[in-house]
């Protein structure tokens, strides 16, 4: 089906317009989105959102070139999704790092126990002669 016939379907508010848009330009839109996102699920969602935006924009907009019109929409949606993912990523990484760090920092009881153990070992080693100390530490 030609682009002009697809645009006519949009103006007639015929839902077949979306199916025909997908047949004619779906692979192209997916390629544009994948080149930005490199994630199939996100790209599919952006392509579906492109069809919705096209449905809401036509009419009153009359695109001179339907392919370019769709490319602009899917590109903008994909860039927005990419930026959204990049903003969310540092927060997730920070949370993971803090949780790992929390496991590495000993609690007050653990610090007191470690200090008591160190004190006990110091006293034991001071009571031994130098040869026994070296054997123990070795």
């Amino acid at each position: 089906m030609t682009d002009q016939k697809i645009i006519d379907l949009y103006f007639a508010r015929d839902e077949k317009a979306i199916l025909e848009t997908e047949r004619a330009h779906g692979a192209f839109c997916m390629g544009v989105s994948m080149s930005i996102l490199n994630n199939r699920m996100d790209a599919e969602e952006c392509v579906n959102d492109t069809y919705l935006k096209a449905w809401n924009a036509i009419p009153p907009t009359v695109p001179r070139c339907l392919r370019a019109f769709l490319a602009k929409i899917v590109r903008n949606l994909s860039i927005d999704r990419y930026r959204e993912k990049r903003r969310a990523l540092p927060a997730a990484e920070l949370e993971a790092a803090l949780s790992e760090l929390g496991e590495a920092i000993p609690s007050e009881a653990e610090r007191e126990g470690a200090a008591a153990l160190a004190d006990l070992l110091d006293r034991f080693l001071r009571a031994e002669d130098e040869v026994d100390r070296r054997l123990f530490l070795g």
Side-chain angles (χ1 to χ4, degrees), residues 70-88:
L70 295 170
K72 181 179 179 182
I73 294 172
V74 75
R75 178 180 57 87
N76 289 338
L77 288 171
S78 298
I79 289 170
D80 289 346
R81 175 65 54 89
Y82 175 80
R83 288 178 178 155
E84 178 184 314
K85 292 270 185 179
R86 287 206 34 143
R87 271 193 304 270

Side-chain angles (χ1 to χ4, degrees), residues 70-134:
L70 295 170
K72 181 179 179 182
I73 294 172
V74 75
R75 178 180 57 87
N76 289 338
L77 288 171
S78 298
I79 289 170
D80 289 346
R81 175 65 54 89
Y82 175 80
R83 288 178 178 155
E84 178 184 314
K85 292 270 185 179
R86 287 206 34 143
R87 271 193 304 270
L89 186 63
E93 288 178 355
L94 178 62
E95 185 177 321
L98 288 176
S99 70
E100 289 175 10
L101 185 59
E103 294 171 7
I105 298 172
S107 68
E108 185 67 30
E110 290 172 326
R111 284 193 301 267
E112 288 173 2
L117 180 60
D119 185 49
L120 183 65
L121 283 172
D122 280 343
R123 283 188 278 137
F124 169 76
L125 290 172
R126 284 192 184 112
E128 299 299 317
D129 63 13
E130 186 175 343
V131 175
D132 288 339
R133 269 196 306 260
R134 288 181 187 262

